[in-house]
Amino acid sequence: MTIPHLDPDHIPRHIAIIMDGNGRWAQRKGLARAIGHKAGVKSVQKIVKAGRELGVQVLTLYAFSSENWQRPALEVKTLMGLLKSYLKLELDNLTKNNIQLRAIGEVERLPAEVRDVLTDTINCTAANNGMILNLALSYGSRQEITRAVKAIVGKCLAGELSDAEINEDTVNDFLYTSDLPDPDMVIRTGGESRLSNFLLWQASYAEIYITETAWPNFRRDHLISAIADYQQRQRRFGKTGEQVQKQP
Ligand code: FPP
């Protein structure tokens, strides 16, 4: 793999990753799906480190979706166990690398022992400002938007907000990601071409990058290739190419 040169002034501020392909990676090797998830944790560690070194400000990883609760109980248990051990093991590294941990999603649905270590890690890293590692856990975009709508209606019924005041910023304010920039790029590993209920509002203008590489094989060089691809693109946000070029 030739490693492309990156423009350090044009690194996406926020990269969001759908870490797909763990199960197929394992099955291709005749191994249990759980081994694929375990191998996926190694990629998480490598990509967090690489993201920080490359100057990414926010890295959101889709670690467990609202729909993943429907997987076999043993697989859910394995994923929860991996998450807990990752959080315990990673605290030192997050601290050393000045990385702040956050979580988005219905984290109250996580087992208490995972929630406890998650809360501890979030609290211990809250003052770090080198990069935000944002884990999407029990996360679903439709659920997030529904939650926001309910909260907005609640404010209206309480007389704290009028319908005339509701705009895109209001909706944004009630999302888990309210104080984060929108993702500039969504990467999906494992070759499938769908968003799978991930950041549907926030990724409205994200550049989508799909790679056949399965998540357990995804490394720093793959991330660099994805960013290089991003740097070749012209982001138009609904305008014409000419209009965008004329902008200062
Ligand atoms: C999708 O692969 C991946 C997941 C559902 C879980 C991702 C979890 C990890 C990478 C490890 C735990 C996370 C952290 C942050 C420590 P899949 O099983 O759907 O793969 P397939 O499409 O090949 O079956």
Side-chain angles (χ1 to χ4, degrees), residues 19-25 27 33 36-41 44 61-65 68 71 75 79 82-84 86-87 135 137 188 192 215:
M19 308 184 287
D20 196 22
N22 294 349
R24 281 167 288 157
W25 177 89
Q27 280 162 345
R33 294 175 57 82
H37 294 313
K38 205 167 167 208
V41 177
V44 169
L61 301 179
Y62 205 6
F64 194 85
S65 74
N68 285 155
R71 290 195 174 198
E75 185 164 340
L79 284 165
L82 286 173
L83 185 61
K84 186 178 149 194
Y86 166 80
L87 290 169
L135 295 182
L137 297 170
R188 182 171 188 137
E192 310 272 13
W215 179 249

PDB file of all heavy atoms in Angstrom, residues 19-25 27 33 36-41 44 61-65 68 71 75 79 82-84 86-87 135 137 188 192 215, ligand 1:
ATOM      1  N   MET A  19     -17.715   0.615  12.231  1.00  0.00           N
ATOM      2  CA  MET A  19     -16.663  -0.416  12.294  1.00  0.00           C
ATOM      3  C   MET A  19     -17.283  -1.768  11.930  1.00  0.00           C
ATOM      4  O   MET A  19     -17.632  -2.549  12.794  1.00  0.00           O
ATOM      5  CB  MET A  19     -16.091  -0.467  13.717  1.00  0.00           C
ATOM      6  CG  MET A  19     -15.636   0.882  14.253  1.00  0.00           C
ATOM      7  SD  MET A  19     -14.877   0.751  15.891  1.00  0.00           S
ATOM      8  CE  MET A  19     -16.295   0.430  16.929  1.00  0.00           C
ATOM      9  N   ASP A  20     -17.396  -2.035  10.638  1.00  0.00           N
ATOM     10  CA  ASP A  20     -18.123  -3.237  10.217  1.00  0.00           C
ATOM     11  C   ASP A  20     -17.157  -4.294   9.674  1.00  0.00           C
ATOM     12  O   ASP A  20     -16.057  -3.967   9.217  1.00  0.00           O
ATOM     13  CB  ASP A  20     -19.154  -2.857   9.140  1.00  0.00           C
ATOM     14  CG  ASP A  20     -20.193  -3.948   8.948  1.00  0.00           C
ATOM     15  OD1 ASP A  20     -20.386  -4.769   9.868  1.00  0.00           O
ATOM     16  OD2 ASP A  20     -20.811  -3.993   7.873  1.00  0.00           O
ATOM     17  N   GLY A  21     -17.614  -5.532   9.717  1.00  0.00           N
ATOM     18  CA  GLY A  21     -16.856  -6.612   9.092  1.00  0.00           C
ATOM     19  C   GLY A  21     -16.129  -7.528  10.065  1.00  0.00           C
ATOM     20  O   GLY A  21     -15.393  -8.423   9.642  1.00  0.00           O
ATOM     21  N   ASN A  22     -16.341  -7.330  11.364  1.00  0.00           N
ATOM     22  CA  ASN A  22     -15.659  -8.188  12.355  1.00  0.00           C
ATOM     23  C   ASN A  22     -16.068  -9.649  12.197  1.00  0.00           C
ATOM     24  O   ASN A  22     -15.224 -10.549  12.201  1.00  0.00           O
ATOM     25  CB  ASN A  22     -16.037  -7.770  13.789  1.00  0.00           C
ATOM     26  CG  ASN A  22     -15.541  -6.405  14.151  1.00  0.00           C
ATOM     27  OD1 ASN A  22     -14.739  -5.820  13.433  1.00  0.00           O
ATOM     28  ND2 ASN A  22     -16.018  -5.870  15.262  1.00  0.00           N
ATOM     29  N   GLY A  23     -17.380  -9.866  12.090  1.00  0.00           N
ATOM     30  CA  GLY A  23     -17.906 -11.236  12.015  1.00  0.00           C
ATOM     31  C   GLY A  23     -17.411 -11.935  10.767  1.00  0.00           C
ATOM     32  O   GLY A  23     -16.918 -13.079  10.831  1.00  0.00           O
ATOM     33  N   ARG A  24     -17.510 -11.264   9.615  1.00  0.00           N
ATOM     34  CA  ARG A  24     -17.082 -11.890   8.353  1.00  0.00           C
ATOM     35  C   ARG A  24     -15.578 -12.150   8.348  1.00  0.00           C
ATOM     36  O   ARG A  24     -15.108 -13.159   7.849  1.00  0.00           O
ATOM     37  CB  ARG A  24     -17.497 -11.003   7.158  1.00  0.00           C
ATOM     38  CG  ARG A  24     -18.966 -11.153   6.801  1.00  0.00           C
ATOM     39  CD  ARG A  24     -19.418 -10.077   5.874  1.00  0.00           C
ATOM     40  NE  ARG A  24     -19.511  -8.791   6.556  1.00  0.00           N
ATOM     41  CZ  ARG A  24     -19.451  -7.619   5.957  1.00  0.00           C
ATOM     42  NH1 ARG A  24     -19.277  -7.557   4.657  1.00  0.00           N
ATOM     43  NH2 ARG A  24     -19.572  -6.509   6.658  1.00  0.00           N
ATOM     44  N   TRP A  25     -14.816 -11.216   8.932  1.00  0.00           N
ATOM     45  CA  TRP A  25     -13.356 -11.391   9.030  1.00  0.00           C
ATOM     46  C   TRP A  25     -13.050 -12.704   9.756  1.00  0.00           C
ATOM     47  O   TRP A  25     -12.215 -13.486   9.318  1.00  0.00           O
ATOM     48  CB  TRP A  25     -12.768 -10.195   9.795  1.00  0.00           C
ATOM     49  CG  TRP A  25     -11.292 -10.251  10.036  1.00  0.00           C
ATOM     50  CD1 TRP A  25     -10.296  -9.787   9.225  1.00  0.00           C
ATOM     51  CD2 TRP A  25     -10.631 -10.800  11.190  1.00  0.00           C
ATOM     52  NE1 TRP A  25      -9.062 -10.001   9.795  1.00  0.00           N
ATOM     53  CE2 TRP A  25      -9.242 -10.615  11.002  1.00  0.00           C
ATOM     54  CE3 TRP A  25     -11.072 -11.415  12.365  1.00  0.00           C
ATOM     55  CZ2 TRP A  25      -8.292 -11.028  11.936  1.00  0.00           C
ATOM     56  CZ3 TRP A  25     -10.126 -11.837  13.295  1.00  0.00           C
ATOM     57  CH2 TRP A  25      -8.759 -11.647  13.079  1.00  0.00           C
ATOM     58  N   GLN A  27     -15.204 -15.272  10.322  1.00  0.00           N
ATOM     59  CA  GLN A  27     -15.773 -16.439   9.636  1.00  0.00           C
ATOM     60  C   GLN A  27     -14.903 -16.888   8.464  1.00  0.00           C
ATOM     61  O   GLN A  27     -14.726 -18.069   8.221  1.00  0.00           O
ATOM     62  CB  GLN A  27     -17.214 -16.140   9.214  1.00  0.00           C
ATOM     63  CG  GLN A  27     -18.177 -16.305  10.388  1.00  0.00           C
ATOM     64  CD  GLN A  27     -19.528 -15.616  10.196  1.00  0.00           C
ATOM     65  OE1 GLN A  27     -19.690 -14.773   9.306  1.00  0.00           O
ATOM     66  NE2 GLN A  27     -20.487 -15.968  11.032  1.00  0.00           N
ATOM     67  N   ARG A  33     -17.246 -15.531  15.629  1.00  0.00           N
ATOM     68  CA  ARG A  33     -17.452 -14.085  15.452  1.00  0.00           C
ATOM     69  C   ARG A  33     -16.817 -13.285  16.593  1.00  0.00           C
ATOM     70  O   ARG A  33     -16.297 -12.185  16.390  1.00  0.00           O
ATOM     71  CB  ARG A  33     -18.953 -13.781  15.385  1.00  0.00           C
ATOM     72  CG  ARG A  33     -19.661 -14.343  14.167  1.00  0.00           C
ATOM     73  CD  ARG A  33     -21.163 -14.087  14.250  1.00  0.00           C
ATOM     74  NE  ARG A  33     -21.450 -12.662  14.390  1.00  0.00           N
ATOM     75  CZ  ARG A  33     -21.485 -11.810  13.364  1.00  0.00           C
ATOM     76  NH1 ARG A  33     -21.288 -12.239  12.136  1.00  0.00           N
ATOM     77  NH2 ARG A  33     -21.737 -10.539  13.572  1.00  0.00           N
ATOM     78  N   GLY A  36     -13.478 -12.079  15.972  1.00  0.00           N
ATOM     79  CA  GLY A  36     -13.476 -10.903  15.099  1.00  0.00           C
ATOM     80  C   GLY A  36     -13.669  -9.620  15.906  1.00  0.00           C
ATOM     81  O   GLY A  36     -12.998  -8.614  15.663  1.00  0.00           O
ATOM     82  N   HIS A  37     -14.570  -9.656  16.869  1.00  0.00           N
ATOM     83  CA  HIS A  37     -14.796  -8.471  17.705  1.00  0.00           C
ATOM     84  C   HIS A  37     -13.551  -8.158  18.547  1.00  0.00           C
ATOM     85  O   HIS A  37     -13.172  -7.001  18.718  1.00  0.00           O
ATOM     86  CB  HIS A  37     -16.016  -8.676  18.609  1.00  0.00           C
ATOM     87  CG  HIS A  37     -17.309  -8.787  17.850  1.00  0.00           C
ATOM     88  ND1 HIS A  37     -17.656  -7.900  16.850  1.00  0.00           N
ATOM     89  CD2 HIS A  37     -18.337  -9.669  17.936  1.00  0.00           C
ATOM     90  CE1 HIS A  37     -18.847  -8.246  16.358  1.00  0.00           C
ATOM     91  NE2 HIS A  37     -19.269  -9.313  16.999  1.00  0.00           N
ATOM     92  N   LYS A  38     -12.929  -9.242  19.042  1.00  0.00           N
ATOM     93  CA  LYS A  38     -11.710  -9.063  19.856  1.00  0.00           C
ATOM     94  C   LYS A  38     -10.615  -8.404  19.001  1.00  0.00           C
ATOM     95  O   LYS A  38      -9.939  -7.471  19.445  1.00  0.00           O
ATOM     96  CB  LYS A  38     -11.250 -10.427  20.365  1.00  0.00           C
ATOM     97  CG  LYS A  38     -10.454 -10.336  21.610  1.00  0.00           C
ATOM     98  CD  LYS A  38     -10.269 -11.673  22.277  1.00  0.00           C
ATOM     99  CE  LYS A  38      -9.185 -11.518  23.327  1.00  0.00           C
ATOM    100  NZ  LYS A  38      -8.468 -12.755  23.576  1.00  0.00           N
ATOM    101  N   ALA A  39     -10.485  -8.903  17.768  1.00  0.00           N
ATOM    102  CA  ALA A  39      -9.487  -8.317  16.862  1.00  0.00           C
ATOM    103  C   ALA A  39      -9.864  -6.862  16.552  1.00  0.00           C
ATOM    104  O   ALA A  39      -8.988  -6.016  16.341  1.00  0.00           O
ATOM    105  CB  ALA A  39      -9.404  -9.142  15.586  1.00  0.00           C
ATOM    106  N   GLY A  40     -11.166  -6.580  16.546  1.00  0.00           N
ATOM    107  CA  GLY A  40     -11.642  -5.220  16.288  1.00  0.00           C
ATOM    108  C   GLY A  40     -11.210  -4.234  17.367  1.00  0.00           C
ATOM    109  O   GLY A  40     -11.000  -3.051  17.092  1.00  0.00           O
ATOM    110  N   VAL A  41     -11.040  -4.722  18.588  1.00  0.00           N
ATOM    111  CA  VAL A  41     -10.603  -3.837  19.677  1.00  0.00           C
ATOM    112  C   VAL A  41      -9.185  -3.325  19.392  1.00  0.00           C
ATOM    113  O   VAL A  41      -8.862  -2.164  19.646  1.00  0.00           O
ATOM    114  CB  VAL A  41     -10.677  -4.555  21.050  1.00  0.00           C
ATOM    115  CG1 VAL A  41     -10.141  -3.650  22.152  1.00  0.00           C
ATOM    116  CG2 VAL A  41     -12.101  -4.984  21.362  1.00  0.00           C
ATOM    117  N   VAL A  44      -9.435  -0.526  17.146  1.00  0.00           N
ATOM    118  CA  VAL A  44      -9.899   0.675  17.865  1.00  0.00           C
ATOM    119  C   VAL A  44      -8.690   1.368  18.488  1.00  0.00           C
ATOM    120  O   VAL A  44      -8.481   2.580  18.321  1.00  0.00           O
ATOM    121  CB  VAL A  44     -10.949   0.307  18.959  1.00  0.00           C
ATOM    122  CG1 VAL A  44     -11.224   1.498  19.868  1.00  0.00           C
ATOM    123  CG2 VAL A  44     -12.246  -0.195  18.313  1.00  0.00           C
ATOM    124  N   LEU A  61     -16.922   6.522  17.124  1.00  0.00           N
ATOM    125  CA  LEU A  61     -16.900   5.110  16.724  1.00  0.00           C
ATOM    126  C   LEU A  61     -18.237   4.459  17.058  1.00  0.00           C
ATOM    127  O   LEU A  61     -18.710   4.545  18.199  1.00  0.00           O
ATOM    128  CB  LEU A  61     -15.770   4.368  17.459  1.00  0.00           C
ATOM    129  CG  LEU A  61     -14.347   4.883  17.237  1.00  0.00           C
ATOM    130  CD1 LEU A  61     -13.352   4.047  18.046  1.00  0.00           C
ATOM    131  CD2 LEU A  61     -13.969   4.850  15.748  1.00  0.00           C
ATOM    132  N   TYR A  62     -18.825   3.812  16.042  1.00  0.00           N
ATOM    133  CA  TYR A  62     -20.123   3.132  16.230  1.00  0.00           C
ATOM    134  C   TYR A  62     -19.813   1.755  16.812  1.00  0.00           C
ATOM    135  O   TYR A  62     -19.546   0.798  16.075  1.00  0.00           O
ATOM    136  CB  TYR A  62     -20.787   3.003  14.856  1.00  0.00           C
ATOM    137  CG  TYR A  62     -22.294   2.883  14.831  1.00  0.00           C
ATOM    138  CD1 TYR A  62     -23.066   3.001  15.969  1.00  0.00           C
ATOM    139  CD2 TYR A  62     -22.947   2.665  13.617  1.00  0.00           C
ATOM    140  CE1 TYR A  62     -24.466   2.909  15.905  1.00  0.00           C
ATOM    141  CE2 TYR A  62     -24.335   2.570  13.538  1.00  0.00           C
ATOM    142  CZ  TYR A  62     -25.075   2.695  14.691  1.00  0.00           C
ATOM    143  OH  TYR A  62     -26.452   2.602  14.626  1.00  0.00           O
ATOM    144  N   ALA A  63     -19.846   1.666  18.128  1.00  0.00           N
ATOM    145  CA  ALA A  63     -19.410   0.429  18.796  1.00  0.00           C
ATOM    146  C   ALA A  63     -20.562  -0.532  19.053  1.00  0.00           C
ATOM    147  O   ALA A  63     -20.355  -1.749  19.104  1.00  0.00           O
ATOM    148  CB  ALA A  63     -18.718   0.770  20.111  1.00  0.00           C
ATOM    149  N   PHE A  64     -21.776   0.019  19.219  1.00  0.00           N
ATOM    150  CA  PHE A  64     -22.924  -0.863  19.506  1.00  0.00           C
ATOM    151  C   PHE A  64     -24.195  -0.085  19.179  1.00  0.00           C
ATOM    152  O   PHE A  64     -24.460   0.964  19.765  1.00  0.00           O
ATOM    153  CB  PHE A  64     -22.903  -1.277  20.983  1.00  0.00           C
ATOM    154  CG  PHE A  64     -23.815  -2.430  21.296  1.00  0.00           C
ATOM    155  CD1 PHE A  64     -23.396  -3.746  21.110  1.00  0.00           C
ATOM    156  CD2 PHE A  64     -25.100  -2.218  21.763  1.00  0.00           C
ATOM    157  CE1 PHE A  64     -24.234  -4.817  21.397  1.00  0.00           C
ATOM    158  CE2 PHE A  64     -25.948  -3.280  22.047  1.00  0.00           C
ATOM    159  CZ  PHE A  64     -25.517  -4.579  21.870  1.00  0.00           C
ATOM    160  N   SER A  65     -24.975  -0.611  18.241  1.00  0.00           N
ATOM    161  CA  SER A  65     -26.177   0.120  17.824  1.00  0.00           C
ATOM    162  C   SER A  65     -27.385  -0.311  18.655  1.00  0.00           C
ATOM    163  O   SER A  65     -27.371  -1.360  19.303  1.00  0.00           O
ATOM    164  CB  SER A  65     -26.465  -0.142  16.345  1.00  0.00           C
ATOM    165  OG  SER A  65     -26.975  -1.450  16.169  1.00  0.00           O
ATOM    166  N   ASN A  68     -28.280  -3.642  17.720  1.00  0.00           N
ATOM    167  CA  ASN A  68     -27.381  -4.755  18.075  1.00  0.00           C
ATOM    168  C   ASN A  68     -27.870  -5.539  19.301  1.00  0.00           C
ATOM    169  O   ASN A  68     -27.425  -6.669  19.528  1.00  0.00           O
ATOM    170  CB  ASN A  68     -25.952  -4.246  18.334  1.00  0.00           C
ATOM    171  CG  ASN A  68     -25.194  -3.883  17.079  1.00  0.00           C
ATOM    172  OD1 ASN A  68     -24.274  -3.067  17.105  1.00  0.00           O
ATOM    173  ND2 ASN A  68     -25.545  -4.486  15.953  1.00  0.00           N
ATOM    174  N   ARG A  71     -28.948  -9.125  18.659  1.00  0.00           N
ATOM    175  CA  ARG A  71     -28.015 -10.223  18.333  1.00  0.00           C
ATOM    176  C   ARG A  71     -28.102 -11.322  19.401  1.00  0.00           C
ATOM    177  O   ARG A  71     -28.616 -11.085  20.491  1.00  0.00           O
ATOM    178  CB  ARG A  71     -26.590  -9.666  18.258  1.00  0.00           C
ATOM    179  CG  ARG A  71     -26.429  -8.783  17.045  1.00  0.00           C
ATOM    180  CD  ARG A  71     -24.979  -8.514  16.730  1.00  0.00           C
ATOM    181  NE  ARG A  71     -24.907  -7.776  15.487  1.00  0.00           N
ATOM    182  CZ  ARG A  71     -23.827  -7.655  14.740  1.00  0.00           C
ATOM    183  NH1 ARG A  71     -22.705  -8.212  15.097  1.00  0.00           N
ATOM    184  NH2 ARG A  71     -23.853  -6.962  13.617  1.00  0.00           N
ATOM    185  N   GLU A  75     -23.315 -13.096  21.980  1.00  0.00           N
ATOM    186  CA  GLU A  75     -22.538 -12.091  21.241  1.00  0.00           C
ATOM    187  C   GLU A  75     -22.642 -10.731  21.940  1.00  0.00           C
ATOM    188  O   GLU A  75     -21.668  -9.999  22.056  1.00  0.00           O
ATOM    189  CB  GLU A  75     -23.014 -11.999  19.782  1.00  0.00           C
ATOM    190  CG  GLU A  75     -22.160 -11.050  18.956  1.00  0.00           C
ATOM    191  CD  GLU A  75     -22.327 -11.198  17.451  1.00  0.00           C
ATOM    192  OE1 GLU A  75     -22.799 -12.259  16.988  1.00  0.00           O
ATOM    193  OE2 GLU A  75     -21.977 -10.228  16.741  1.00  0.00           O
ATOM    194  N   LEU A  79     -19.556  -8.566  23.465  1.00  0.00           N
ATOM    195  CA  LEU A  79     -19.292  -7.163  23.119  1.00  0.00           C
ATOM    196  C   LEU A  79     -19.242  -6.295  24.381  1.00  0.00           C
ATOM    197  O   LEU A  79     -18.383  -5.415  24.504  1.00  0.00           O
ATOM    198  CB  LEU A  79     -20.348  -6.649  22.135  1.00  0.00           C
ATOM    199  CG  LEU A  79     -20.160  -7.137  20.690  1.00  0.00           C
ATOM    200  CD1 LEU A  79     -21.404  -6.905  19.854  1.00  0.00           C
ATOM    201  CD2 LEU A  79     -18.951  -6.448  20.046  1.00  0.00           C
ATOM    202  N   LEU A  82     -15.965  -6.920  26.108  1.00  0.00           N
ATOM    203  CA  LEU A  82     -14.842  -6.279  25.412  1.00  0.00           C
ATOM    204  C   LEU A  82     -14.823  -4.778  25.683  1.00  0.00           C
ATOM    205  O   LEU A  82     -13.766  -4.179  25.866  1.00  0.00           O
ATOM    206  CB  LEU A  82     -14.948  -6.532  23.901  1.00  0.00           C
ATOM    207  CG  LEU A  82     -14.607  -7.944  23.417  1.00  0.00           C
ATOM    208  CD1 LEU A  82     -14.913  -8.079  21.931  1.00  0.00           C
ATOM    209  CD2 LEU A  82     -13.133  -8.269  23.690  1.00  0.00           C
ATOM    210  N   LEU A  83     -16.007  -4.212  25.715  1.00  0.00           N
ATOM    211  CA  LEU A  83     -16.114  -2.776  25.971  1.00  0.00           C
ATOM    212  C   LEU A  83     -15.593  -2.441  27.371  1.00  0.00           C
ATOM    213  O   LEU A  83     -14.800  -1.507  27.552  1.00  0.00           O
ATOM    214  CB  LEU A  83     -17.592  -2.379  25.822  1.00  0.00           C
ATOM    215  CG  LEU A  83     -17.910  -0.920  25.928  1.00  0.00           C
ATOM    216  CD1 LEU A  83     -17.196  -0.134  24.848  1.00  0.00           C
ATOM    217  CD2 LEU A  83     -19.424  -0.727  25.805  1.00  0.00           C
ATOM    218  N   LYS A  84     -16.013  -3.250  28.337  1.00  0.00           N
ATOM    219  CA  LYS A  84     -15.591  -3.019  29.719  1.00  0.00           C
ATOM    220  C   LYS A  84     -14.070  -3.160  29.848  1.00  0.00           C
ATOM    221  O   LYS A  84     -13.406  -2.299  30.423  1.00  0.00           O
ATOM    222  CB  LYS A  84     -16.302  -4.035  30.620  1.00  0.00           C
ATOM    223  CG  LYS A  84     -16.071  -3.814  32.088  1.00  0.00           C
ATOM    224  CD  LYS A  84     -16.858  -4.831  32.906  1.00  0.00           C
ATOM    225  CE  LYS A  84     -16.136  -5.152  34.187  1.00  0.00           C
ATOM    226  NZ  LYS A  84     -16.679  -6.342  34.844  1.00  0.00           N
ATOM    227  N   TYR A  86     -11.827  -2.937  27.479  1.00  0.00           N
ATOM    228  CA  TYR A  86     -11.162  -1.872  26.713  1.00  0.00           C
ATOM    229  C   TYR A  86     -11.099  -0.589  27.558  1.00  0.00           C
ATOM    230  O   TYR A  86     -10.050   0.047  27.660  1.00  0.00           O
ATOM    231  CB  TYR A  86     -11.926  -1.601  25.409  1.00  0.00           C
ATOM    232  CG  TYR A  86     -11.512  -0.310  24.729  1.00  0.00           C
ATOM    233  CD1 TYR A  86     -10.358  -0.240  23.966  1.00  0.00           C
ATOM    234  CD2 TYR A  86     -12.276   0.851  24.879  1.00  0.00           C
ATOM    235  CE1 TYR A  86      -9.967   0.939  23.368  1.00  0.00           C
ATOM    236  CE2 TYR A  86     -11.892   2.044  24.282  1.00  0.00           C
ATOM    237  CZ  TYR A  86     -10.734   2.085  23.528  1.00  0.00           C
ATOM    238  OH  TYR A  86     -10.340   3.261  22.950  1.00  0.00           O
ATOM    239  N   LEU A  87     -12.233  -0.237  28.167  1.00  0.00           N
ATOM    240  CA  LEU A  87     -12.293   1.015  28.929  1.00  0.00           C
ATOM    241  C   LEU A  87     -11.324   0.965  30.112  1.00  0.00           C
ATOM    242  O   LEU A  87     -10.623   1.934  30.404  1.00  0.00           O
ATOM    243  CB  LEU A  87     -13.719   1.281  29.407  1.00  0.00           C
ATOM    244  CG  LEU A  87     -14.715   1.655  28.303  1.00  0.00           C
ATOM    245  CD1 LEU A  87     -16.144   1.629  28.830  1.00  0.00           C
ATOM    246  CD2 LEU A  87     -14.390   3.021  27.691  1.00  0.00           C
ATOM    247  N   LEU A 135     -17.807   7.454  21.821  1.00  0.00           N
ATOM    248  CA  LEU A 135     -18.280   6.099  21.529  1.00  0.00           C
ATOM    249  C   LEU A 135     -19.798   6.095  21.404  1.00  0.00           C
ATOM    250  O   LEU A 135     -20.501   6.556  22.305  1.00  0.00           O
ATOM    251  CB  LEU A 135     -17.866   5.138  22.650  1.00  0.00           C
ATOM    252  CG  LEU A 135     -16.366   4.890  22.835  1.00  0.00           C
ATOM    253  CD1 LEU A 135     -16.145   3.870  23.954  1.00  0.00           C
ATOM    254  CD2 LEU A 135     -15.699   4.428  21.538  1.00  0.00           C
ATOM    255  N   LEU A 137     -22.838   4.079  21.764  1.00  0.00           N
ATOM    256  CA  LEU A 137     -23.142   2.847  22.511  1.00  0.00           C
ATOM    257  C   LEU A 137     -24.635   2.741  22.714  1.00  0.00           C
ATOM    258  O   LEU A 137     -25.233   3.674  23.292  1.00  0.00           O
ATOM    259  CB  LEU A 137     -22.444   2.894  23.878  1.00  0.00           C
ATOM    260  CG  LEU A 137     -20.916   2.930  23.853  1.00  0.00           C
ATOM    261  CD1 LEU A 137     -20.378   3.225  25.239  1.00  0.00           C
ATOM    262  CD2 LEU A 137     -20.364   1.625  23.329  1.00  0.00           C
ATOM    263  N   ARG A 188     -16.999   3.742   6.424  1.00  0.00           N
ATOM    264  CA  ARG A 188     -17.578   2.434   6.738  1.00  0.00           C
ATOM    265  C   ARG A 188     -16.636   1.355   6.242  1.00  0.00           C
ATOM    266  O   ARG A 188     -16.299   1.317   5.055  1.00  0.00           O
ATOM    267  CB  ARG A 188     -18.960   2.256   6.117  1.00  0.00           C
ATOM    268  CG  ARG A 188     -19.555   0.906   6.503  1.00  0.00           C
ATOM    269  CD  ARG A 188     -21.000   0.726   6.120  1.00  0.00           C
ATOM    270  NE  ARG A 188     -21.479  -0.520   6.707  1.00  0.00           N
ATOM    271  CZ  ARG A 188     -22.652  -0.685   7.298  1.00  0.00           C
ATOM    272  NH1 ARG A 188     -23.504   0.306   7.361  1.00  0.00           N
ATOM    273  NH2 ARG A 188     -22.997  -1.849   7.812  1.00  0.00           N
ATOM    274  N   GLU A 192     -20.020  -2.707   2.966  1.00  0.00           N
ATOM    275  CA  GLU A 192     -21.458  -2.466   2.750  1.00  0.00           C
ATOM    276  C   GLU A 192     -21.707  -0.966   2.564  1.00  0.00           C
ATOM    277  O   GLU A 192     -21.024  -0.143   3.164  1.00  0.00           O
ATOM    278  CB  GLU A 192     -22.286  -2.933   3.956  1.00  0.00           C
ATOM    279  CG  GLU A 192     -21.985  -4.333   4.441  1.00  0.00           C
ATOM    280  CD  GLU A 192     -22.808  -5.403   3.737  1.00  0.00           C
ATOM    281  OE1 GLU A 192     -23.427  -5.088   2.705  1.00  0.00           O
ATOM    282  OE2 GLU A 192     -22.807  -6.544   4.226  1.00  0.00           O
ATOM    283  N   TRP A 215     -13.002  -4.274   9.495  1.00  0.00           N
ATOM    284  CA  TRP A 215     -12.513  -3.467  10.619  1.00  0.00           C
ATOM    285  C   TRP A 215     -11.268  -4.073  11.291  1.00  0.00           C
ATOM    286  O   TRP A 215     -10.310  -3.336  11.574  1.00  0.00           O
ATOM    287  CB  TRP A 215     -13.641  -3.198  11.625  1.00  0.00           C
ATOM    288  CG  TRP A 215     -13.139  -2.408  12.785  1.00  0.00           C
ATOM    289  CD1 TRP A 215     -12.984  -2.834  14.070  1.00  0.00           C
ATOM    290  CD2 TRP A 215     -12.669  -1.036  12.757  1.00  0.00           C
ATOM    291  NE1 TRP A 215     -12.445  -1.828  14.846  1.00  0.00           N
ATOM    292  CE2 TRP A 215     -12.250  -0.723  14.057  1.00  0.00           C
ATOM    293  CE3 TRP A 215     -12.555  -0.074  11.744  1.00  0.00           C
ATOM    294  CZ2 TRP A 215     -11.736   0.532  14.386  1.00  0.00           C
ATOM    295  CZ3 TRP A 215     -12.034   1.188  12.078  1.00  0.00           C
ATOM    296  CH2 TRP A 215     -11.628   1.467  13.381  1.00  0.00           C
TER     297      TRP A 215
HETATM  298  C1  FPP B   1     -19.922  -4.810  13.285  1.00  0.00           C
HETATM  299  O1  FPP B   1     -19.328  -5.985  12.793  1.00  0.00           O
HETATM  300  C2  FPP B   1     -19.295  -4.467  14.560  1.00  0.00           C
HETATM  301  C3  FPP B   1     -19.948  -4.415  15.748  1.00  0.00           C
HETATM  302  C4  FPP B   1     -21.386  -4.695  15.877  1.00  0.00           C
HETATM  303  C5  FPP B   1     -19.249  -4.128  16.990  1.00  0.00           C
HETATM  304  C6  FPP B   1     -18.022  -3.288  16.910  1.00  0.00           C
HETATM  305  C7  FPP B   1     -17.257  -3.531  18.148  1.00  0.00           C
HETATM  306  C8  FPP B   1     -15.923  -3.532  18.265  1.00  0.00           C
HETATM  307  C9  FPP B   1     -15.027  -3.164  17.180  1.00  0.00           C
HETATM  308  C10 FPP B   1     -15.258  -3.922  19.539  1.00  0.00           C
HETATM  309  C11 FPP B   1     -15.718  -3.240  20.785  1.00  0.00           C
HETATM  310  C12 FPP B   1     -15.646  -1.758  20.710  1.00  0.00           C
HETATM  311  C13 FPP B   1     -14.893  -0.944  21.465  1.00  0.00           C
HETATM  312  C14 FPP B   1     -15.005   0.529  21.323  1.00  0.00           C
HETATM  313  C15 FPP B   1     -13.935  -1.445  22.459  1.00  0.00           C
HETATM  314  P1  FPP B   1     -20.276  -7.223  12.444  1.00  0.00           P
HETATM  315  O2  FPP B   1     -20.232  -8.170  13.582  1.00  0.00           O
HETATM  316  O3  FPP B   1     -21.636  -6.744  12.074  1.00  0.00           O
HETATM  317  O4  FPP B   1     -19.529  -7.789  11.206  1.00  0.00           O
HETATM  318  P2  FPP B   1     -20.186  -8.582   9.996  1.00  0.00           P
HETATM  319  O5  FPP B   1     -20.990  -7.569   9.207  1.00  0.00           O
HETATM  320  O6  FPP B   1     -19.000  -9.065   9.251  1.00  0.00           O
HETATM  321  O7  FPP B   1     -21.010  -9.688  10.580  1.00  0.00           O
END
